Amino acid sequence: MNKLCYLLKVRKQLQVIELVPMTPPLPPDAEGDRLGRALGVTRARIEVLRLALARHEVTAAELMDELGLSRSGLGRHLAILTDEGLLSERRATHPRGSGPVIYWIANADAVRAAIDAFSRRILSDDSLPPGSEDDEPTR
């Protein structure tokens, strides 16, 4: 039997409201984390984008639960990602009718464009030493 992780959304009375499959977290990646810190990229922002891309849209409550972030900490990440055009928001009435809810949606095209632009910037021909693009890799 295939084991799946699930996130239970509950009310204060602990009544089950909805069963949502969880996206498994990325495995620890010491090299990736080290490089991310060096470049100023946080694992939290990567996870926010990854979850939003995987689920199409997520709420702040879901992100806080899964990533273990505070409301203010997550808010800073969401604001930066939104300002850069990597996330957008959709405001709606909560499915239970208990007020407004904001759904966060990743802009997959903007994420791809940002990654491509970043790669081109770092790996541009004028940033490489002369002749390095023709050299064979050293072993």
Side-chain angles (χ1 to χ4, degrees), residues 38-117:
L39 297 173
V41 178
T42 67
R43 186 173 179 91
R45 288 189 194 138
I46 291 170
E47 286 293 308
V48 166
L49 284 173
R50 190 180 68 79
L51 290 170
L53 286 165
R55 295 187 185 166
H56 178 64
E57 58 183 25
V58 291
T59 64
E62 291 170 342
L63 292 170
M64 287 186 302
D65 287 345
E66 285 201 44
L67 303 178
L69 297 172
S70 67
R71 180 181 292 263
S72 62
L74 177 62
R76 284 191 301 271
H77 294 302
L78 293 172
I80 289 168
L81 293 169
T82 301
D83 288 347
E84 294 301 321
L86 301 174
L87 283 181
S88 60
E89 62 183 58
R90 178 178 71 83
R91 295 178 180 268
T93 301
H94 197 280
R96 294 188 310 261
S98 61
V101 65
I102 299 173
Y103 293 96
W104 297 94
I105 302 152
N107 181 340
D109 292 335
V111 171
R112 278 188 209 95
I115 291 169
D116 290 345

